[in-house]
């Protein structure tokens, strides 16, 4: 028997002393009494461990061999409870703890949603809360099949739902159907295409409508580039009818975009002092207990929170957080010419990247950086190529009068 074997039933460590110790051991083996951790101290003495039930079976063997048996140590729950029988508060605490764990294990403390892309997790959790499924509710009131059916009914694009209860955790696995994005039918009403910016037209592809401008022309804001009014002519090239259509064209212009950015040479920054403060906090529902020396000014705070689990699937309705505070101070520094020039170029590059994300092409960069003892100024213009064209309702023209012919 190892040191802690039989802890639940209790065991004793004894010393056996006498001239017939070998006979004593043989009789114990014959009666299937197990002595573990057996050690011989001398020719007439040995020690070992016996379970309580085997110890009380030694009386006949003790009488036959005339050996002396002394109890050296007592271990196990029976002896622990006997020694602690006057500690009523301790046993009451154990009972309350067991009851609390039993109560908490019968509640729902975590809801996880997996597989959702278009339907956000907070949106699904809000819907479940409207249906009465929330954190802290009794697990006996949950019906996984009903939950799955309600979700499918609420979200038509979810084709499959699996609801599974694991300990105090409800796991929802959803599968959303293949979403074929159907573009809305464009307004087919008659319209012109108008320029919303000034520039030079460098590319123009007209699919429907009458072009008013051509490649190389300059356009101004508000000017009609493609008309939605078509002129139908007869053989003599006279207009016999006007037909209004939905103008459609791809128009690209080249223009200059002004750029200006100023960076002060002296700036304010933060420097760590090296001083740190640490603290912890406990959170259980609305209860919050913090053990930390909170300081507001001059300290940067980081909080890391961890949920508490009794087992992998048994989440407790509480969490523990660790607070780390680092002291800093404000200082003033001055850029070197190399540093501020590098910063100005990085700022310009980020600006250009934002333009390109909007589909704008940059064909030329005419921005200069000027540095004096106070500021660094980036100014100039960028030559950009962008797509323009804003739809605007057409002005309906009066149809030409019908011509009549007389026979002479």
């Amino acid at each position: 028997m190892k040191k802690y074997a039989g802890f639940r039933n209790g065991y004793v460590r004894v010393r056996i002393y006498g001239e017939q110790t070998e006979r004593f051991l043989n009789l114990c083996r014959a009666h299937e009494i197990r002595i573990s951790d057996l050690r011989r101290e001398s020719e007439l003495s040995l020690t070992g461990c016996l379970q309580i039930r085997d110890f009380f079976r030694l009386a006949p063997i003790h009488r036959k061999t005339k050996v002396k048996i002394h109890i050296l140590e007592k271990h196990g729950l029976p002896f622990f409870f006997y020694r602690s029988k006057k500690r009523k508060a301790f046993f009451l605490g154990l009972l309350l703890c067991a009851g609390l764990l039993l109560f908490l294990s019968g509640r729902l403390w975590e809801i996880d949603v997996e597989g959702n892309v278009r339907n956000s997790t907070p949106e699904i959790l809000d819907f479940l809360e409207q249906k009465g499924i929330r954190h802290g509710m009794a697990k006996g009131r949950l019906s996984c099949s009903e939950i799955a059916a309600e979700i499918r009914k609420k979200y038509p694009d979810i084709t499959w739902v699996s609801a599974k209860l694991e300990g105090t955790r409800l796991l929802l696995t959803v599968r959303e159907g293949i979403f074929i994005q159907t573009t809305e039918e464009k307004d087919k009403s008659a319209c012109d295409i108008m320029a919303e910016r000034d520039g030079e037209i460098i590319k123009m592809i007209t699919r429907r409508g009458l072009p008013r401008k051509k490649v190389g022309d300059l356009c101004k804001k508000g000017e009609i580039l493609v008309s939605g009014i078509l002129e139908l002519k007869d053989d003599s090239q006279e207009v016999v009818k006007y037909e209004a259509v939905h103008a459609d064209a791809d128009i690209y212009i080249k223009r200059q975009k002004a750029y200006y950015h100023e960076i002060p040479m002296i700036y304010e920054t933060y420097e760590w002092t090296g001083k740190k403060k640490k603290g912890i906090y406990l959170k259980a529902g609305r209860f919050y207990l913090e053990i930390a020396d909170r300081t507001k000014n001059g300290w940067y705070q980081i909080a890391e929170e961890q949920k508490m689990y009794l087992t992998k699937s048994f989440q407790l309705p509480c969490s523990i957080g660790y607070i780390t505070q680092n002291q800093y101070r404000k200082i003033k520094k001055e850029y070197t010419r190399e540093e501020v020039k590098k910063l100005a170029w990085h700022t310009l590059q980020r600006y250009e990247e934002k333009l390109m994300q909007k589909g704008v092409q940059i064909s030329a960069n005419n921005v200069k950086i000027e540095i004096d003892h106070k500021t660094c100024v980036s100014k100039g213009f960028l030559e950009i190529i962008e797509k323009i064209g804003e739809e605007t309702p057409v002005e309906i023209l009066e149809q030409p009068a019908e011509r009549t012919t007389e026979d002479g």
Side-chain angles (χ1 to χ4, degrees), residues 127-281:
F127 169 71
L128 293 177
E129 189 169 358
Q130 293 175 5
K131 295 295 181 180
I133 301 167
R134 56 178 61 89
H135 295 88
M137 68 175 297
K139 293 194 299 183
R141 295 168 50 196
L142 287 174
S143 174
C144 293
S145 59
E146 292 182 3
I147 293 173
E150 290 290 343
I151 292 177
R152 286 195 300 268
K153 183 179 178 181
K154 172 66 177 179
Y155 303 97
D157 57 334
I158 295 179
T159 58
W160 180 81
V161 182
S162 171
K164 183 168 60 174
L165 197 60
E166 297 179 348
T168 60
R169 174 174 174 250
L170 176 63
L171 177 61
L172 297 174
T173 305
V174 303
R175 185 178 298 164
E176 296 173 335
I178 300 175
F179 181 69
I180 302 175
Q181 185 175 6
T182 57
T183 56
E184 296 181 358
E185 285 292 327
K186 293 183 178 180
D187 186 9
K188 296 302 181 181
S189 59
C191 68
D192 298 328
I193 295 180
M194 179 182 66
E196 65 263 40
R197 293 182 183 89
D198 297 349
E200 179 187 353
I201 300 175
I202 61 171
K203 185 178 180 181
M204 187 172 184
I205 302 174
T206 305
R207 287 181 287 273
R208 184 179 299 171
L210 180 63
R212 294 281 184 88
K213 293 283 185 175
K214 63 182 183 298
V215 174
D217 291 347
L218 298 177
C219 64
K220 294 183 178 181
K221 182 178 178 180
E223 195 173 8
I224 301 299
L225 303 179
V226 179
S227 173
I229 299 296
L230 298 181
E231 298 177 350
L232 303 182
K233 300 179 180 180
D234 57 11
D235 296 338
S236 59
Q237 299 301 312
E238 293 185 5
V239 178
V240 296
K241 185 179 180 182
Y242 295 112
E243 183 179 350
V245 298
H246 184 93
D248 185 13
D250 292 334
I251 305 168
Y252 294 86
I253 65 168
K254 180 171 65 175
R255 68 183 183 94
Q256 291 183 349
K257 186 174 182 65
Y259 178 83
Y260 183 87
H261 184 71
E262 187 175 310
I263 302 175
M265 293 296 292
I266 298 176
Y267 65 99
E268 193 175 73
T269 185
Y270 301 96
E271 182 180 69
W272 301 113
T273 64
K275 293 184 179 180
K276 291 185 178 182
K277 292 182 180 180
K278 294 188 176 182
I280 61 172
Y281 65 87

Side-chain angles (χ1 to χ4, degrees), residues 51-68:
Q51 292 192 19
I52 294 177
R53 61 176 181 269
D54 290 336
F55 178 79
F56 288 111
R57 295 170 58 198
L58 293 178
I61 303 175
H62 174 258
R63 288 193 298 267
K64 289 181 180 181
T65 57
K66 305 298 182 180
V67 296
K68 295 180 180 180

Side-chain angles (χ1 to χ4, degrees), residues 277-334:
K277 292 182 180 180
K278 294 188 176 182
I280 61 172
Y281 65 87
L282 298 173
K283 187 168 68 174
R286 296 183 179 179
F287 174 77
Y288 180 85
L289 174 64
E290 182 177 309
I291 306 173
D293 183 14
R294 285 292 191 107
T295 50
K296 294 183 179 178
N297 297 327
W299 291 83
Y300 180 76
Q301 177 178 295
I302 300 174
E304 181 181 354
E305 185 173 310
Q306 295 179 355
K307 294 181 179 179
M308 301 180 67
Y309 292 84
L310 190 61
T311 63
K312 185 178 180 180
S313 60
F314 188 174
Q315 179 190 348
L316 297 175
C318 50
S319 57
I320 183 170
Y322 303 93
I323 301 172
T324 303
Q325 298 181 87
N326 295 283
Q327 189 182 42
Y328 65 89
R329 61 168 176 250
K330 294 181 179 179
I331 59 173
K332 289 186 177 181
K333 287 188 176 182
E334 183 175 356

